[in-house]
Amino acid sequence: MSAYRKYILAMGIVWTVSLVLFALVYYVVIAPQLKVKNQAFRESTEKKQLFELALSAAQEDNKKKLAGELEELKTRLSDYVSEYEESANLTFSISRIAADKQVSDFTVKTSEQGNVQDALAAKSLQENRVETTFTSDFLQFASFLNTLERHHPVIFVDRFRVSHGDQGSMSNKADMTLSYFVRKKQDS
């Protein structure tokens, strides 16, 4: 029995050493190669997708489609952004809307731009703000507000505050902060 026991012990040692060596070879040699292979496959797939995208973009019908989409986006942007040269006219436009809606005691003044431009860090856009105060009844106020929000380019109503007017009067005093986007003046 002693020979049988030595044989089993020797086989156990050989199997254990073999398993340890196989595990060591797998983690030192094979696993890193599998990782490199998988990374190369991912990079190859990404490059293939970029190549197919470039081929697709080079086709004339796709160029026309992309040019059409770009023009549509520029048109949509013009609904929200005023040109720099036209920005002064927006204050007059707001005053004209107020006159059309027959609000009284209307005043408008531009806000300081320093704080606003820090908040909006865009390369080619800036946000201009306008402070308005006026007196109106509810229907005039609602009509004025609705017209401002439908204006092109869009004028955003950032905040408004309505307070009671004189005793017995149906008029209320309103303070509004309006903002609109303007393309920054391009340096020549």
Side-chain angles (χ1 to χ4, degrees):
M1 236 202 229
S2 166
Y4 182 68
R5 200 172 188 176
K6 284 182 185 178
Y7 176 75
I8 290 182
L9 185 61
M11 289 304 289
I13 291 173
V14 168
W15 276 99
T16 304
V17 169
S18 297
L19 283 174
V20 169
L21 284 176
F22 287 135
L24 188 63
V25 167
Y26 177 79
Y27 286 112
V28 172
V29 176
I30 296 174
Q33 288 181 355
L34 288 175
K35 190 183 291 185
V36 168
K37 177 186 167 193
N38 288 338
Q39 183 177 357
F41 180 74
R42 278 194 304 270
E43 288 175 3
S44 169
T45 303
E46 289 173 7
K47 298 291 183 191
K48 184 178 178 182
Q49 288 173 345
L50 287 173
F51 175 73
E52 290 172 357
L53 185 63
L55 283 179
S56 173
Q59 295 175 352
E60 279 303 313
D61 57 336
N62 285 342
K63 284 182 182 179
K64 290 177 184 175
K65 180 181 173 185
L66 290 174
E69 287 179 12
L70 182 62
E71 286 304 315
E72 181 183 330
L73 289 173
K74 284 181 180 179
T75 303
R76 287 180 52 200
L77 181 63
S78 69
D79 289 343
Y80 294 94
V81 178
S82 171
E83 295 299 325
Y84 181 80
E85 294 78 22
E86 299 170 8
S87 64
N89 294 337
L90 281 174
T91 305
F92 296 120
S93 181
I94 293 168
S95 297
R96 185 180 39 79
I97 293 170
D100 290 346
K101 299 306 175 185
Q102 299 175 348
V103 298
S104 57
D105 301 330
F106 184 78
T107 60
V108 61
K109 69 175 186 169
T110 57
S111 295
E112 293 181 21
Q113 293 297 322
N115 297 336
V116 175
Q117 288 191 8
D118 291 340
L120 180 69
K123 263 186 174 175
S124 60
L125 292 179
Q126 74 182 30
E127 181 183 14
N128 289 356
R129 290 185 184 250
V130 175
E131 302 284 334
T132 62
T133 58
F134 56 92
T135 305
S136 68
D137 63 18
F138 176 76
L139 292 177
Q140 289 171 326
F141 174 77
S143 178
F144 179 65
L145 185 64
N146 189 20
T147 304
L148 284 176
E149 290 184 334
R150 287 186 288 125
H151 188 271
H152 287 282
V154 172
I155 298 173
F156 298 96
V157 178
D158 288 338
R159 84 168 174 82
F160 66 87
R161 182 180 62 216
V162 178
S163 56
H164 291 292
D166 297 329
Q167 291 283 346
S169 173
M170 295 300 291
S171 296
N172 296 308
K173 183 176 189 275
D175 299 318
M176 297 176 77
T177 302
L178 310 172
S179 64
Y180 53 92
F181 294 115
V182 176
R183 288 186 207 277
K184 288 183 180 177
K185 186 174 183 178
Q186 300 298 321
D187 296 328
S188 298

